[in-house]
Amino acid sequence: MSKFVWSVLLLIAVSSVVAESILEDHDKGGPCGKFSTLRILTHKLRHCEKAARNYNVAPSAQCCRDLKDVSIPCLHAVFCSDSFRKVGVDPKVAITIPWRCHHVHY
């Protein structure tokens, strides 16, 4: 009986350590990986500002190249972030940039 109790306790301990490490890894990587949405906005999407403000402005080639490195979940997180709105960009216009890049540069 004591072997069974020790086995159960060992299983619980190992399970809790594994679960904790999985949760820590998940917290470190949000939709943009290890980077914040603000960093993605200021470093990767800075060339897309004019196209994000006005639907009639074609996105630059640099903007479209930079978008290739950003995942769709990250783009949505950036477009919905408070930092993005504070810049004065319209999320409804910005969300069309990947589609506009595809039609202008490919």
Side-chain angles (χ1 to χ4, degrees):
M1 179 82 164
S2 67
K3 280 186 175 182
F4 177 73
V5 171
W6 282 109
S7 297
V8 170
L9 289 175
L10 180 63
L11 181 63
I12 291 171
V14 169
S15 298
S16 66
V17 168
V18 169
E20 185 177 324
S21 69
I22 289 171
L23 290 175
E24 285 178 7
D25 289 343
H26 179 69
D27 290 341
K28 289 180 185 174
C32 298
K34 63 182 180 178
F35 300 110
S36 69
T37 55
L38 180 60
R39 182 176 171 100
I40 296 295
L41 178 62
T42 58
H43 288 76
K44 283 289 185 187
L45 302 178
R46 67 180 179 265
H47 298 104
C48 301
E49 184 179 351
K50 290 179 183 175
R53 289 180 189 269
N54 186 342
Y55 185 79
N56 296 319
V57 174
S60 68
Q62 183 65 46
C63 168
C64 295
R65 279 192 299 272
D66 290 343
L67 280 179
K68 288 182 182 180
D69 299 333
V70 181
S71 69
I72 296 297
C74 180
L75 278 178
H76 284 274
V78 170
F79 292 160
C80 295
S81 70
D82 289 334
S83 302
F84 196 73
R85 289 190 177 111
K86 288 178 184 175
V87 175
V89 177
D90 185 0
K92 292 176 185 175
V93 174
I95 203 79
T96 65
I97 293 175
W99 178 82
R100 290 163 41 204
C101 280
H102 179 73
H103 287 284
V104 171
H105 296 287
Y106 299 104

